Amino acid sequence: MSKIELVAPCHFGLEAVLKKEILDLGYEIVRVEDGRVTFAGDEDAICRANIFLRTAERILLKVGQLHAVTFDELFEGIKALPWENYIPSDGKFWVAKASSVKSKLFSPSDIQSIVKKAIVERLKGVYSLQWFPETGAEYPIRISFMKDEAVVCLDTTGLSLHKRGYRTMVSKAPIKETLAAALLMLTPWHKDRILVDPFCGSGTFPIEAAMMAANIAPGMNRSFTAEKWTNFVGRKYWYGAIDEANDLVDDQIETDIQGYDIDGDIIKAARQNAREAGVDHLIHFQQRPLSELSHPKKYGFIVSNPPYGERLEEKSHLPALYTEIGDRFRELDSWSMYLITSYEDAEKYIGKKADKNRKIYNGMLKTYYYQFLGPKPPKMNRQEKQ
């Protein structure tokens, strides 16, 4: 296969983090748009992107792009695409998702129906078939319209990439693994620095941090839809990417990553999730209330997803909670703190204005990533640690 374009969706506001990840993997960026990054690659890139990228939601193989303001234009545009390059005669194919923003064609169900019919017509002529058994591998299709321009893709991933395979137990309001990884990447935290999450819930921040520290690829222990696309993505590419990931793992490192929660059952769940991820030996989980947040060492990091108070009965507790967060933080000399929350009065009750504030959409919920930056450790100390 010649060079292909791959589209990696991500959380709105975190495109730059994903772009850096893709560049670090060695691929060329084609374009960066709201909520997605397009890059150039080959068969190997399909495998490596799915296994190594921490902040992408999925990896889509771009089949084509077209302009359509009528269903006739959509039908002809879809029919003109080279579907036979990807879908074999026994392939099972359907339009898994259709979305439309500021476009004349806006009905997802109608778009899905037209796209399916157009692909069938195309493949009828290629394979000389009137009926398709669809007993083979699955080829889910995604089409997204923006201002009458449609991007048409095959989904190589299947279950979203935030499904790492380790989180078997979750807390009430878990943060997605992909979002947690991106937020960690927005900090200067490094594996030789202290990291504490005082509202760790099911352990996502500490686990993602430990996986980064040990260089464990997030997709090592799960499967992907494109693994069965042997008609154009050979098994050797998957084997090669997994071998590469295994060679990079270093889980014998020493870390100081801690997760606290007031709920003992949630702490048990976090420990179980960490075991599933293979990083339980790198994290210290403890049942501990916020009032007992303290640490003797300097230059540490708090990275957390504190309660938002989305239910009305919880909102009355937020001023006291965020006041206590501020009090605990002031006691941690030289530390930095990073909080993601939808609570707009967070700075007011913490008692300090954030050095940086980034707006991030967590699904449809607008949240803020408040960044309170502590001093850098003396260079001498950093050299001593190495």
Side-chain angles (χ1 to χ4, degrees), residues 132-159:
F132 292 88
E134 299 199 51
T135 54
E138 297 183 345
Y139 296 81
I141 297 149
R142 289 182 170 240
I143 178 169
S144 58
F145 271 92
M146 170 61 79
K147 296 180 180 178
D148 301 320
E149 289 290 324
V151 176
V152 189
C153 299
L154 284 166
D155 179 8
T156 76
T157 301
L159 283 174

Side-chain angles (χ1 to χ4, degrees), residues 127-330:
Y127 295 127
S128 300
L129 292 172
Q130 290 301 309
W131 178 80
F132 292 88
E134 299 199 51
T135 54
E138 297 183 345
Y139 296 81
I141 297 149
R142 289 182 170 240
I143 178 169
S144 58
F145 271 92
M146 170 61 79
K147 296 180 180 178
D148 301 320
E149 289 290 324
V151 176
V152 189
C153 299
L154 284 166
D155 179 8
T156 76
T157 301
L159 283 174
S160 171
L161 288 176
H162 81 271
K163 302 277 190 181
R164 314 288 206 218
Y166 67 74
R167 197 160 72 177
T168 57
M169 306 178 77
V170 299
S171 53
K172 182 173 62 176
I175 190 169
K176 272 189 176 182
E177 294 86 335
T178 45
L179 178 55
L183 297 179
L184 286 164
M185 289 179 184
L186 285 171
T187 78
W189 175 78
H190 188 261
K191 62 185 176 184
D192 64 354
R193 304 279 293 278
I194 310 152
L195 179 74
V196 175
D197 180 356
F199 302 96
C200 74
S202 51
T204 309
F205 271 127
I207 292 170
E208 289 296 316
M211 290 177 70
M212 289 180 194
N215 219 3
I216 297 173
M220 281 181 65
N221 298 309
R222 55 159 288 171
S223 58
F224 305 97
T225 299
E227 285 182 58
K228 295 183 179 179
W229 296 358
T230 52
N231 55 315
F232 70 93
V233 186
R235 297 292 299 174
K236 65 178 182 179
Y237 296 108
W238 292 104
Y239 294 143
I242 288 293
D243 286 345
E244 179 187 359
N246 280 317
D247 289 344
L248 291 172
V249 173
D250 179 11
D251 63 356
Q252 300 305 307
I253 55 170
E254 291 187 9
T255 59
D256 192 348
I257 300 172
Q258 302 181 25
Y260 308 146
D261 201 280
I262 198 170
D263 187 329
D265 290 334
I266 288 297
I267 287 295
K268 290 178 184 176
R271 290 192 182 115
Q272 177 60 33
N273 291 340
R275 279 192 290 273
E276 293 291 333
V279 295
D280 53 310
H281 62 296
L282 299 176
I283 307 170
H284 174 67
F285 287 111
Q286 185 178 0
Q287 183 180 0
R288 182 190 287 196
L290 175 64
S291 59
E292 295 179 14
L293 174 60
S294 63
H295 203 291
K297 296 181 183 177
K298 291 189 174 186
Y299 307 112
F301 289 80
I302 295 171
V303 182
S304 196
N305 174 38
Y308 298 172
E310 288 308 298
R311 293 202 295 265
L312 283 175
E313 64 269 23
E314 294 175 344
K315 286 193 181 295
S316 61
H317 301 302
L318 293 185
L321 175 66
Y322 282 81
T323 297
E324 189 167 21
I325 290 173
D327 291 344
R328 293 296 91 218
F329 179 50
R330 276 185 289 277

Side-chain angles (χ1 to χ4, degrees), residues 84-99:
E84 64 276 8
N85 291 350
Y86 309 102
I87 302 175
S89 59
D90 67 344
K92 180 180 180 179
F93 58 97
W94 73 101
V95 184
K97 185 174 182 180
S99 62

Side-chain angles (χ1 to χ4, degrees), residues 24 51 86 100 160 366:
D24 288 345
I51 289 169
Y86 309 102
S100 179
S160 171
K366 182 171 69 174

